[in-house]
Amino acid sequence: MGQPTVTTGVTQVDGVRLHYLRAGSGPLLVLLHGWPQTSDCWRPVLPDLAADHTVVAPDLRGYGLSDKPSTGYDKRRMAADMAGLVEALGFETTAVVGHDRGARVGHRWALDRPDQVERLAVLDIVPTREMFRRLDASLASGYWHWLFQMQPDLPERLVGHDIRGYLEYFFERWTYNRHGLTPEAVDGYVRAFSRPGAMRASFDDYRAMEQDVALDDIDAAEGRRLTMPVLALWGSVGLPSRLPTLEIWRAYADDVTGAEIPECGHFIPEEQPEALLGHLWSFLADEASR
């Protein structure tokens, strides 16, 4: 039997058109991409995951073929987009896998709507709040782009004349298996971020971090934690490999498992798709057995 066909769709949620890839049938699984990527980052694993799930991979607000409004890039609003998309597609609950910025959206989504998010996998991140609490010279050297991209107006001015050069810097520096990010994939991301408003919108995602950390601080003060099963995965040469990633996530969630993926940088779905699938199948199979 062949792999499920991947289709595309667009659904409007609170006035914002959200583009997505979709394949398969069964329980819902939502895949959330990071920066500087789009839903296309999931293509190496999406058909296999669709063997026993309805898999939906949206372009987040501001990214890819989704709308790029001038506001709404705090993670609570971006998570509400995803909640609305799930409801519009006719589902009540979902498992969520998020990479990079998408994992931050997934984290907020699971905190705000624990009745909707049944389980959460977070790829190559620790919580946003924790990044700023632990920022030292080592982390600053790896996450310098956070502070740069949070600045008003300046990133657009400096990056706008060479979007390809800027993005390719990260695609090279953040990878171990560089063949996983094919020239065709990189070309697609460059085209996506060359669309009108795309770079501004992606920087707005970072500019919302003060709001995001403020919400995280409120949750921490009130003792609010993730109650669903959480899977944390990171690349062996990814930036979270410098941190006690599992220990950190266990301070934010009740039920955490995780692993480092060998010979892998930041872009796990493209660098090590088979290893990622193995971890996700085990995680999702545990869901089916409950």
Side-chain angles (χ1 to χ4, degrees):
M1 187 173 69
Q3 289 188 322
T5 300
V6 178
T7 62
T8 62
V10 176
T11 295
Q12 186 162 298
V13 176
D14 288 340
V16 175
R17 289 166 294 185
L18 299 172
H19 167 264
Y20 56 89
L21 307 177
R22 179 173 180 167
S25 60
L28 183 62
L29 173 63
V30 174
L31 309 178
L32 303 179
H33 67 85
W35 185 92
Q37 297 190 291
T38 69
S39 56
D40 284 339
C41 77
W42 298 109
R43 287 187 182 274
V45 297
L46 193 155
D48 290 289
L49 292 171
D52 50 11
H53 282 78
T54 300
V55 182
V56 173
D59 288 332
L60 296 168
R61 169 189 295 245
Y63 290 83
L65 294 175
S66 290
D67 280 350
K68 299 161 183 65
S70 59
T71 59
Y73 293 93
D74 62 280
K75 300 307 153 294
R76 174 160 284 169
R77 178 63 261 171
M78 294 177 79
D81 289 343
M82 297 300 101
L85 176 62
V86 165
E87 293 162 5
L89 294 176
F91 292 88
E92 294 183 358
T93 61
T94 183
V96 177
V97 180
H99 176 242
D100 187 76
R101 307 303 296 176
R104 303 187 189 286
V105 174
H107 185 193
R108 173 48 55 191
W109 185 5
L111 282 169
D112 286 354
R113 292 175 170 82
D115 55 334
Q116 189 178 48
V117 177
E118 294 183 314
R119 55 186 50 224
L120 173 67
V122 289
L123 276 53
D124 217 56
I125 72 155
V126 298
T128 304
R129 173 177 180 266
E130 206 64 30
M131 290 303 308
F132 287 99
R133 283 160 53 89
R134 292 172 178 263
L135 195 62
D136 59 13
S138 174
L139 285 186
S141 70
Y143 289 91
W144 64 269
H145 64 290
W146 279 30
L147 305 181
F148 171 64
Q149 293 178 177
M150 288 173 69
Q151 302 308 308
D153 303 327
L154 184 63
E156 290 90 331
R157 178 163 187 171
L158 297 183
V159 171
H161 298 294
D162 189 12
I163 292 172
R164 176 178 290 276
Y166 189 64
L167 299 188
E168 285 185 343
Y169 173 87
F170 295 99
F171 291 138
E172 180 166 325
R173 292 293 295 270
W174 287 355
T175 51
Y176 183 95
N177 285 328
R178 290 174 176 168
H179 60 82
L181 269 169
T182 65
E184 293 77 18
V186 171
D187 287 348
Y189 297 136
V190 171
R191 284 194 301 272
F193 284 87
S194 298
R195 292 178 178 275
M199 289 304 292
R200 183 268 310 157
S202 78
F203 295 149
D204 284 346
D205 182 353
Y206 286 80
R207 290 172 184 138
M209 276 198 281
E210 287 188 60
Q211 296 168 264
D212 297 335
V213 172
L215 284 174
D216 291 347
D217 284 342
I218 291 170
D219 286 329
E222 295 180 352
R224 192 173 297 115
R225 296 161 56 89
L226 297 173
T227 55
M228 69 290 295
V230 173
L231 172 68
L233 300 172
W234 63 95
S236 59
V237 297
L239 295 174
S241 66
R242 305 179 187 184
L243 295 166
T245 298
L246 270 185
E247 175 187 317
I248 291 171
W249 275 109
R250 285 173 177 153
Y252 287 80
D254 296 339
D255 180 3
V256 181
T257 56
E260 180 177 279
I261 297 181
E263 298 184 348
C264 188
H266 178 60
F267 301 102
I268 296 172
E270 291 155 304
E271 291 189 62
Q272 292 289 1
E274 293 302 321
L276 175 59
L277 284 169
H279 286 291
L280 291 181
W281 276 327
S282 296
F283 186 57
L284 297 170
D286 183 50
E287 169 192 36
S289 68
R290 295 194 178 201

